[in-house]
């Protein structure tokens, strides 16, 4: 995809730039944007300012810091302008360049990612520490380099964050019972870097991309399966310029394709009322709306209810595009936390479980539930965790 | 180019002239024929589609047989499809060389003349079809009007008022509907569909299937007593005319002014069809007339017509395709056509605008451009929604006094008295918000209200406006089966699926099939005045064709060299026009009236004994050689 080489200066020469010229100024982007009412220059005005040669004004405001890369504007744009894919990241890069200093929390996450390969700043040699707790054998390419069908790219939150590890342990058990031929990179893995790109630290993103590609080249596998929709996004849209051409799947649709095998394993009844939150990258970006729901419906006893905003109209958890590390900043600005907005909708369904497919959401929604005092009424579980729970030993 | 052409063997004179198709240009050709004693003419210019006829006439006026002419298409075959100018010029030279080689083989031909059937078929009984049928019938032509539904009237019959004059749609439409029924020159077939179209301009043979309505049209007088008598005491079946907002019985009449005034029985819901054990109270009450016939079968009729007018109309965009507008999910989100029925005095609420829970709305939001001007649905503007939205805003305000918000991207009011109507509606206090609605969701307090969320682009702020009722101004789409109909009549479609006109400016009601015309929304979204203007134009085109009495057909037909034909019959099943038959137990015969000159048989004949005018072997081989071998 040519988009990698597009800059704001060269944009008008690319088809993406021509798209921008067709903007109707209908404002559906601002209306759809979760922060549309607090952004000084929502996408519609950014485009109008660009067309008037006034883009500097946009960069010197902090509008783009509140873009959580949720694809909501892009999904509804009647001209099909690829806002979230092209324009907004380019504008964000400039905004960050103009900013006297990055918000500390974001700065720290980006530095950690550069130094340790994960935004939490955990030691890279402990990346695979969770494996010992999985209860099933997990092969790492570093120890056993025989070819595997799938490379499971675990990602950061699912490797380090305790509640993220639950997802990984569940995935490992599911893979084991389904007989998936896979291996992981273990301590060799580093963050795929998607949020680095979307917070526009292109140098950081490229460093991570070069590193991971070099590791991939060492081993033989047919497909990459990842637990993280953001990594999926990076592999799908950015890595191909470096020769990434393996088949690519996120764990949730990967499992949904193996539903026949799974059905026999899902024997324990889980009497839960579940509502599913569509992650932006998995849903709007890749239109995997049905796969997670099929999996949830396959669990005996689970009843599914929908939130008001679902599928293409899902509300973002606020974690994308660097939002994961801007909570303090947003709070200082007096913005509503998007995860809280989402959790209110989830609670209104009366569900006991808020099911998710993105590792960011576990921590974001668990926090929001605690803050709003709903943590006794509702639990957040990854779809894989629920599937693993429904498997009897 | 001209110099090159002038140097080709056999070329006596080569000329460049900017407007060869103009009168002076044509005169040049005539003059050169006289001055140089020319016996073959090649013009290398634009499309034969546009001007082959022009130049053939010029050649004929110069005293030559018009088929001594050949045209090189330098437009679509060269200039328009290449960017490398030098290479394109070379290609032009090749094409001219080939034409010069071919044209010397041309022989004098005469166009075929065929007489024309005087009757006309009109397909579709909406306002377009009704108007075209009446015009043709008034001119003394016999018209078959074929309509798929049990009644004519189309979408216009469902509208309450018409913009911008606020005429009652039924009041202006129903007199025309009754006129159709009463006209001695119109044969009206409802519940009927065209199944097959054969033949060619002036002589179409059309097969029409008339579906059973289980009521004999000649006997039923429309007293409606059978509906009263039906064993269903309550109407239970969603009524399509009212878009499911009302109910009907299995025996019903679509609406009070339906034409024909004949009931119809729906076999899907009628107990007699389902169980065979109904008391048949409808039959009892119709004892004198015996109009009900549960055993009616579909009927196939074949008619001969000289011209066809297609007026198959449009379909309303399915608002459920935009999930975030909540149509089908939130009961108070309606489509504009549903609201037309709610506003209408003969509609399911007797003309009172009531929500599904019986409340009168106090705030109403109208959402423009639903399924129009959007890459995700339809890219085109549906042209009528802005105006009907203004009309509905006016009617809702007039009938309920509600606060009406109209969310628009641009208000398009480019018609006679349209802008003035926009002004009037604004003056009445309708609130216009410039912004495309991004989200519709429940207000959350369980009172059925929903919130419309949009950026007010003129204020530069996101607004969230709670309303009792939402009206989605849905766009117009091609009929779901437009592609099948297109193939049936062998005409073209533009990319969005509407039927394609022969020329967007100069032949707007002609299709690419001679003798087949079109009118109304099957060609593209348009309002009633434009539709009626088109149906008049289509009727005039059909009349002009028929009243000429004869039609000239291209002489490019195939013929069998009788002595050479072995009688193998290979060609017979291959002919797409069934023009070939087997005669006298020994050879193929091509009916040159039916032959369209496609050349399939010529290519397929194993003994090479079928030849085709204007595509003789010598002509083609020399043309190919001319193309490949530089002179």
């Amino acid at each position: 995809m040519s988009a990698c080489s597009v800059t704001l200066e060269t944009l008008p020469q690319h088809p993406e730039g021509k798209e921008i010229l067709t903007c109707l100024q209908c404002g559906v982007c601002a209306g759809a944007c979760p922060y549309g009412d607090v952004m000084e220059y929502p996408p519609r005005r950014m485009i109008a300012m660009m067309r008037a040669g006034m883009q500097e004004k946009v960069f010197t405001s902090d509008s783009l810091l509140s873009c959580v890369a949720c694809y909501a504007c892009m999904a509804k744009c009647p001209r099909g302008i690829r806002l979230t894919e092209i324009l907004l990241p380019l504008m964000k890069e400039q905004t960050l360049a103009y900013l006297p200093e990055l918000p500390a929390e974001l700065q720290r996450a980006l530095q950690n990612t550069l130094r340790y390969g994960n935004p939490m700043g955990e030691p890279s040699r402990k990346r695979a520490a969770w494996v010992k707790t999985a209860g099933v054998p997990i092969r790492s390419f570093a120890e056993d380099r025989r070819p595997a069908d799938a490379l499971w790219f675990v990602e950061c939150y699912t490797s380090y964050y305790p509640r993220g590890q639950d997802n990984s342990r569940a995935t490992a058990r599911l893979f084991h019972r389904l007989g998936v031929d896979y291996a992981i990179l273990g301590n060799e893995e580093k963050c795929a870097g998607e949020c680095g790109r979307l917070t526009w630290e292109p140098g950081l993103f490229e460093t991570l991309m070069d590193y991971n590609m070099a590791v991939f080249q060492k081993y033989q596998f047919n497909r990459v399966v990842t637990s993280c929709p953001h990594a999926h996004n990076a592999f799908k849209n950015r890595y191909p310029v470096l020769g990434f051409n393996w088949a690519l799947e996120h764990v949730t649709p990967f499992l949904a394709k193996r539903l026949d095998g799974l059905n026999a394993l899902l024997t324990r009844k889980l009497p839960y009322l579940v509502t599913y939150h569509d992650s932006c990258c998995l849903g709007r970006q890749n239109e995997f709306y049905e796969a997670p729901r099929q999996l949830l419906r396959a669990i005996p006893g689970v009843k599914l209810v929908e939130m008001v905003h679902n599928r293409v109209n899902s509300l973002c958890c606020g974690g994308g595009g660097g939002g994961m590390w801007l909570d303090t900043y947003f709070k200082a600005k007096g913005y509503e936390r998007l995860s809280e907005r989402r959790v209110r909708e989830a609670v209104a369904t009366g569900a006991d479980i808020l099911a998710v497919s993105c590792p960011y959401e576990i921590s974001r929604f668990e926090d929001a539930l605690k803050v709003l005092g709903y943590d006794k009424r509702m639990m957040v579980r990854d779809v894989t965790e629920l599937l693993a729970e429904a498997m009897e030993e | 180019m001209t110099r090159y052409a002038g140097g080709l063997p056999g070329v006596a004179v080569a000329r460049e002239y900017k407007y060869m198709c103009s009168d002076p240009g044509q005169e040049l050709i005539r003059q050169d024929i006289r001055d140089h004693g020319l016996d073959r003419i090649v013009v290398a210019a634009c499309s034969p589609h546009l001007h082959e006829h022009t130049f053939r006439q010029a050649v004929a006026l110069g005293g030559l047989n018009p088929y001594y002419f050949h045209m090189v298409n330098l437009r679509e075959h060269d200039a328009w499809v290449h960017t490398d100018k030098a290479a394109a010029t070379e290609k032009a030279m090749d094409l001219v060389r080939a034409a010069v080689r071919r044209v010397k083989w041309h022989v004098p031909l005469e166009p075929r003349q065929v007489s024309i059937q005087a009757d006309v078929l009109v397909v579709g009984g909406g306002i377009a079809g009704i108007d075209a049928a009446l015009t043709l019938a008034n001119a003394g032509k016999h018209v078959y009007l074929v309509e798929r539904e049990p009644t004519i009237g189309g979408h216009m019959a469902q509208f309450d008022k018409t913009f911008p004059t606020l005429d009652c749609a039924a009041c202006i439409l129903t007199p025309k509907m009754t006129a159709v029924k009463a006209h001695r020159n119109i044969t009206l077939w409802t519940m009927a569909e065209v199944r097959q179209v054969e033949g060619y301009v002036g002589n179409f043979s059309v097969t029409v299937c008339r579906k059973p309505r289980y009521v004999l049209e000649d006997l039923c007088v429309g007293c409606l007593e059978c509906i009263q008598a039906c064993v269903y005491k309550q109407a239970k079946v969603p009524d399509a005319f009212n878009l499911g907002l009302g109910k009907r019985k299995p025996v019903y009449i679509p609406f009070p002014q339906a034409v024909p005034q004949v009931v119809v029985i729906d076999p899907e819901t009628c107990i007699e069809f389902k169980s065979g054990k109904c008391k048949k109270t409808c039959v009892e009450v119709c004892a004198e007339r015996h109009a009900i016939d549960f055993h009616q079968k579909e009927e196939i009729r074949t008619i001969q017509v000289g011209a066809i007018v297609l007026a198959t109309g449009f379909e309303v965009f399915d608002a459920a395709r935009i999930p975030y507008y909540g149509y089908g999910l939130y009961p108070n989100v309606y489509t504009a056509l549903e609201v037309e029925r709610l506003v209408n005095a003969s509609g399911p609420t007797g003309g009172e605008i009531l929500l599904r829970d019986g409340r009168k709305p106090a705030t109403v939001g109208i959402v423009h451009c639903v399924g129009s001007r959007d890459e995700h649905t339809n890219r085109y503007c549906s042209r009528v929604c802005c105006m009907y939205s203004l009309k509905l805003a006016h009617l809702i305000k007039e009938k309920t006094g509600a606060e009406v918000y109209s969310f628009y991207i641009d208000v398009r009011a480019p018609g006679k008295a349209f802008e003035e109507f926009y002004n009037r509606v604004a003056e009445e206090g309708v609130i216009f918000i410039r912004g495309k609605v991004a989200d519709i969701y429940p207000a959350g307090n369980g009172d059925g209200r929903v919130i419309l969320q949009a950026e007010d682009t003129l204020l530069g702020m996101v607004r969230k406006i709670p309303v009792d009722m939402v009206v989605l101004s849905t766009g117009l789409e091609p009929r779901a089966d437009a592609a099948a109909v297109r193939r049936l009549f062998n005409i073209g479609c533009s990319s969005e699926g509407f039927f394609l006109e022969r020329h967007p400016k100069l032949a707007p009601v002609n299709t690419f099939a001679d003798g087949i015309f079109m009118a109304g929304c099957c060609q593209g979204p348009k309002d009633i005045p434009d539709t009626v203007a088109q149906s008049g134009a289509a009727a005039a085109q059909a009349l002009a064709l028929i009243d000429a009495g004869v039609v000239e057909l291209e002489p490019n037909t195939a013929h069998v060299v009788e002595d050479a034909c072995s009688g193998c019959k290979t060609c017979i099943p291959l002919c797409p026009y069934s023009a070939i038959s087997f005669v006298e137990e020994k050879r193929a015969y091509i009916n040159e009236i039916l032959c369209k000159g496609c050349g399939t048989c010529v290519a397929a004949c194993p003994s090479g004994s079928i030849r085709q005018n204007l595509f003789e072997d010598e002509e083609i081989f020399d043309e190919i050689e001319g193309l490949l071998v530089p002179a």
Side-chain angles (χ1 to χ4, degrees):
Chain A
M1 184 161 140
S2 66
C4 240
S5 55
V6 179
T7 65
L8 266 185
E9 282 71 39
T10 64
L11 191 57
Q13 282 101 58
H14 289 268
E16 293 83 358
K18 304 266 187 297
E19 277 172 9
I20 288 163
L21 297 178
T22 68
C23 170
L24 284 167
Q25 292 287 301
C26 71
V28 84
C29 45
C33 176
Y35 278 138
D37 36 8
V38 294
M39 244 187 217
E40 189 177 1
Y41 300 112
R44 176 189 67 79
R45 290 196 70 193
M46 284 179 206
I47 291 176
M49 307 275 284
M50 269 187 84
R51 296 201 293 209
M54 296 162 69
Q55 54 268 42
E56 287 228 352
K57 235 180 154 172
V58 180
F59 308 148
T60 46
S61 90
D62 62 354
S63 291
L64 271 159
L65 279 190
S66 46
C67 170
V68 286
C70 71
Y71 296 91
C73 52
M74 192 170 118
K76 293 179 183 175
C77 174
R79 286 297 200 230
I81 301 174
R82 278 167 287 170
L83 292 158
T84 322
E85 277 175 2
I86 316 280
L87 180 67
L88 299 179
L90 290 175
M91 303 286 268
K92 188 175 260 182
E93 177 187 13
Q94 290 300 318
T95 304
L96 291 172
Y98 275 74
L99 218 56
E101 58 179 333
L102 273 186
E105 201 183 347
L106 177 63
Q107 173 90 30
R108 204 160 46 240
L110 296 176
Q111 272 169 357
N112 284 339
T113 311
L114 183 62
R115 198 172 298 164
Y116 306 104
N118 68 78
M120 304 80 152
E122 297 284 342
S124 47
R125 67 193 142 71
K126 287 193 179 164
R127 196 171 179 101
W130 67 272
V131 167
K132 289 192 284 292
T133 63
V136 289
I138 297 173
R139 169 153 81 97
S140 167
F141 270 129
E143 295 154 7
D144 176 353
R145 49 182 311 123
R146 280 176 303 140
D149 176 53
L151 164 68
W152 173 21
F153 195 88
V154 182
E155 264 296 16
C156 309
Y157 279 86
T158 18
S159 292
Y160 293 108
Y161 183 66
R163 278 289 284 116
Q165 292 174 357
D166 289 342
N167 178 353
S168 297
R169 284 185 282 266
T171 306
R173 283 185 57 213
L174 287 161
F175 282 3
H176 179 70
R177 293 286 295 275
L178 283 168
V180 176
D181 171 25
Y182 76 96
I184 63 170
L185 294 176
N187 291 340
E188 279 185 290
E189 183 186 284
K190 278 188 183 177
C191 177
E194 185 255 13
C195 283
R197 190 189 71 81
L198 284 178
T199 51
W200 214 278
E201 275 296 320
L204 166 62
F205 178 58
E206 272 155 32
T207 307
L208 292 168
M209 198 158 76
D210 288 341
Y211 171 84
N212 280 318
M213 278 305 288
V215 179
F216 290 162
Q217 309 286 4
K218 296 199 319 198
Y219 305 113
Q220 278 185 295
F221 49 90
N222 301 319
R223 69 193 71 248
V224 173
V225 182
T226 177
S227 306
C228 179
H230 294 271
H232 182 274
N233 210 4
F235 293 148
K236 184 178 166 191
N237 296 313
R238 302 291 147 176
Y239 278 58
V241 290
L242 291 188
F244 186 105
N245 57 3
W246 294 278
L248 173 67
E249 282 174 282
H250 179 271
V251 167
T252 311
F254 178 84
L255 290 173
K257 277 191 200 157
R258 284 152 186 80
L259 203 56
D260 286 345
L262 262 180
N263 272 327
L265 302 174
L266 302 175
T267 46
R268 181 184 291 157
K269 202 167 169 189
L270 305 184
Y272 303 145
L273 188 60
V274 178
T275 190
Y276 176 73
H277 164 80
D278 291 275
S279 97
C280 304
C281 294
L282 204 58
R284 268 190 289 271
Q285 170 71 336
N286 285 295
E287 297 185 343
F288 287 129
Y289 299 122
E290 297 317 312
R293 290 175 171 83
Q294 280 169 1
L295 289 171
L296 290 169
R297 273 193 289 264
I299 300 174
V302 161
K303 276 208 191 77
L304 207 54
V305 283
E306 292 293 348
M307 286 180 267
V308 165
H309 289 89
N310 60 67
R311 297 181 169 84
V312 70
N313 210 24
S314 173
L315 294 178
C316 180
C317 74
M324 198 69 183
W325 308 286
L326 286 167
D327 282 319
T328 322
Y329 177 78
F330 290 157
K331 197 174 174 191
K333 303 273 295 183
Y335 297 171
E336 183 189 8
R337 265 181 90 187
L338 297 182
S339 49
E340 290 173 21
R341 191 187 292 180
R342 189 51 166 163
V343 155
R344 280 198 196 91
E345 237 185 41
V347 169
T349 62
D352 329 298
I353 305 269
L354 173 55
V356 299
S357 278
C358 172
Y360 286 17
E361 288 153 0
I362 295 272
S363 64
R364 299 192 67 74
F365 290 150
E366 285 187 349
D367 277 1
L369 285 171
K370 265 190 217 122
V371 170
L372 298 174
Y374 292 133
D375 51 331
K376 299 280 180 295
R377 279 166 67 176
M378 176 170 265
M379 280 168 71
V380 188
R381 306 289 302 276
D382 195 278
V383 173
T384 52
E385 291 172 46
L386 290 170
L387 289 169
E389 188 185 336
M391 270 191 327
E392 272 158 314
E393 293 308 320
Chain B
M1 261 302 299
T2 317
R3 257 200 325 276
Y4 175 80
L8 289 171
V11 175
V13 56
R15 253 183 221 295
E16 188 196 345
Y17 190 71
K18 200 164 186 182
Y19 302 109
M20 195 53 99
C21 57
S22 67
D23 270 350
Q26 294 181 47
E27 178 53 35
L28 263 182
I29 295 176
R30 294 198 287 270
Q31 193 62 43
D32 279 338
I33 293 173
R34 286 194 288 272
D35 292 353
H36 300 273
L38 305 177
D39 58 6
R40 296 290 188 278
I41 308 291
V42 170
V43 171
C46 76
S47 329
H49 178 63
L50 282 176
H51 283 304
E52 190 175 56
H53 186 69
T54 314
F55 293 122
R56 274 184 184 162
Q57 267 186 320
V59 168
L61 285 172
L64 289 183
N65 183 286
Y67 296 93
Y68 279 153
F69 163 81
H70 188 71
M71 188 154 186
V72 179
N73 184 351
L74 289 189
R75 200 161 77 155
E76 284 89 345
H77 290 181
D78 198 9
W80 279 10
V81 291
H82 299 298
T83 48
D84 180 342
K85 283 190 180 176
T89 307
E90 248 175 72
K91 180 174 174 182
M93 291 175 180
D94 294 344
L95 292 169
V96 169
R97 196 169 60 235
V100 169
R101 295 271 301 254
R102 134 190 267 277
V103 79
K104 71 168 184 275
W105 295 101
H106 280 207
V107 294
L109 297 168
E110 291 303 323
R112 297 167 284 161
Q113 286 210 332
V114 189
S115 65
I116 287 180
Q117 295 283 339
D119 296 353
V120 184
L121 166 68
V122 176
V123 187
I127 181 58
I130 289 173
D131 192 73
L134 284 172
T135 308
L136 287 158
N138 288 342
K141 303 299 170 221
H142 185 248
V143 178
Y144 295 94
L145 177 56
V146 172
E147 166 59 48
R148 179 185 280 173
E149 299 296 324
T151 172
I152 56 170
H155 281 105
M156 187 177 170
Q158 290 175 290
F159 303 157
D160 181 54
K161 302 281 194 297
T162 55
F163 62 77
T165 49
L166 298 175
D167 293 286
C168 151
C171 311
I172 56 177
L173 176 66
T174 48
K176 280 184 171 279
M177 291 165 61
T178 14
V180 164
K181 185 67 193 160
H183 210 297
R184 61 193 169 87
N185 286 340
I186 298 180
T187 301
L188 170 61
W189 287 337
T190 50
M191 301 191 72
E193 280 180 3
V194 173
R195 283 285 163 81
Q196 200 179 8
V197 181
E198 289 180 312
Y200 52 93
V201 52
N203 292 274
F204 294 105
S205 174
V206 182
T207 310
V208 179
C209 169
R210 300 188 64 193
K211 299 213 183 83
R213 77 194 286 146
Y214 305 109
V215 173
L216 302 174
E217 251 183 70
D218 305 340
L219 300 180
C220 174
V221 290
C223 69
L224 311 186
E225 279 181 35
C226 50
I227 301 178
Q228 278 283 311
C230 176
V231 294
Y232 274 90
K233 287 293 161 245
Q234 294 297 318
K236 281 188 178 157
V237 185
D239 151 20
F241 184 77
N242 284 318
L243 305 154
L245 295 170
K247 298 274 195 288
R248 63 161 169 82
K249 294 185 181 180
V251 56
Y252 68 103
I253 189 150
F255 59 99
Q257 306 95 324
V259 169
Q261 270 288 307
V262 175
V263 297
V264 50
I265 295 173
D266 162 21
E268 299 294 317
T269 50
C270 170
I271 291 183
E272 178 61 15
F273 281 94
K274 290 207 296 200
S275 68
K277 286 179 190 154
C278 184
K279 282 195 285 179
K280 287 180 273 204
T281 41
C282 55
V283 177
E284 279 170 28
V285 79
C286 196
E288 274 179 35
R289 304 208 141 258
H290 301 291
I292 292 175
D293 176 7
F294 290 112
H295 303 290
Q296 201 177 29
K297 295 275 173 294
E298 69 172 33
E299 204 183 311
I300 304 287
R301 300 285 291 268
T302 300
I303 53 175
Q304 311 300 323
V305 295
I308 297 173
V309 176
L310 293 176
T312 50
F314 66 93
E315 226 145 89
V316 174
F317 173 79
D318 174 13
R321 278 169 57 195
I322 306 179
Y324 47 89
Y325 284 169
Y327 179 74
L329 193 60
Y330 309 131
N332 296 335
V333 177
Y334 293 84
T335 66
L337 194 57
E338 288 172 339
V339 177
E340 294 276 358
R341 296 314 303 148
L342 291 181
V343 179
N344 190 265
S346 67
T349 51
E352 268 199 89
I353 301 174
L354 297 175
L355 299 170
R356 287 189 167 87
D357 60 9
R359 278 186 310 129
K360 206 182 201 181
T363 43
V364 178
I366 300 179
V367 182
H368 285 228
C369 298
V370 179
S372 305
R373 304 186 70 191
D374 191 338
E375 296 280 330
H376 306 290
T377 54
N378 295 309
R379 299 183 66 179
Y380 53 86
C381 163
S382 291
R383 254 183 93 182
V384 293
C385 326
C386 278
M387 290 309 295
Y388 79 57
S389 299
L390 290 173
K391 174 193 71 182
L392 289 175
H394 162 85
L395 293 172
I396 291 168
K397 206 146 183 72
E398 184 184 61
K399 290 210 165 190
T400 64
E403 194 153 84
V404 179
Y405 295 88
S406 200
F407 293 83
Y408 68 98
I409 305 175
D410 301 292
V411 172
R412 293 185 166 168
K416 198 172 180 182
F418 284 16
E419 186 68 20
E420 294 88 326
F421 186 68
Y422 177 19
N423 193 72
R424 170 183 170 180
V425 173
E427 221 170 59
E428 288 168 355
V430 170
I431 301 157
F432 290 93
I433 296 180
R434 191 192 175 281
K436 186 173 166 72
V437 172
D439 198 4
I440 297 178
Y441 51 92
N445 40 5
D447 62 358
R449 303 233 288 179
V450 293
I451 290 174
L452 293 172
Q453 184 170 316
E455 188 197 11
D456 185 327
T457 59
L458 301 179
L459 285 181
M461 61 182 280
V462 175
R463 298 183 70 177
K464 299 170 185 174
I465 297 177
V467 295
D468 295 312
M469 180 188 207
V470 175
V471 184
L472 300 178
S473 297
T474 40
L476 277 54
E477 285 196 327
R479 287 268 181 208
D481 62 350
V485 172
R486 175 186 81 75
R487 280 191 290 275
L488 185 64
F489 289 92
N490 199 21
I491 60 168
C493 271
S494 36
S495 58
E496 73 295 301
F498 291 109
F499 298 155
L500 186 63
E501 59 280 357
R502 179 170 284 200
H503 191 284
K505 281 110 190 162
L506 301 178
V509 298
N510 300 64
T511 67
F512 278 95
D514 287 331
I516 301 183
F517 310 98
M518 59 182 166
C521 290
C522 63
Q523 181 262 344
K526 58 179 63 66
D527 60 11
I528 297 167
D530 285 1
T531 293
V532 172
Q534 268 200 345
S535 52
Q541 292 281 344
L543 278 175
L545 170 70
I546 287 170
D547 280 352
V550 289
V551 64
E552 282 200 345
L553 300 179
E554 274 284 282
N556 61 348
T557 48
H559 49 93
V560 177
V561 181
E562 291 184 8
D563 299 340
C565 174
S566 66
C568 72
K569 301 186 195 171
T570 303
C571 54
I572 295 176
L574 292 176
C575 177
Y577 307 99
S578 313
I580 312 180
S581 50
F582 196 62
V583 288
E584 293 162 33
E585 304 280 310
K586 57 186 224 234
R587 60 180 172 258
Y589 166 76
I590 298 173
N591 178 340
E592 71 163 22
I593 300 293
L594 294 178
C595 174
K596 290 269 210 185
C598 71
T600 307
C601 58
V602 185
C605 177
S607 58
S609 57
I610 305 184
R611 302 181 62 103
Q612 187 180 352
N613 293 336
L614 287 175
F615 296 93
E616 300 284 0
D617 288 355
E618 305 80 44
E619 291 168 356
I620 296 200
F621 287 135
D622 227 16
E623 187 175 14
I624 294 172
E625 221 170 280
L627 196 64
L628 301 176
V629 186

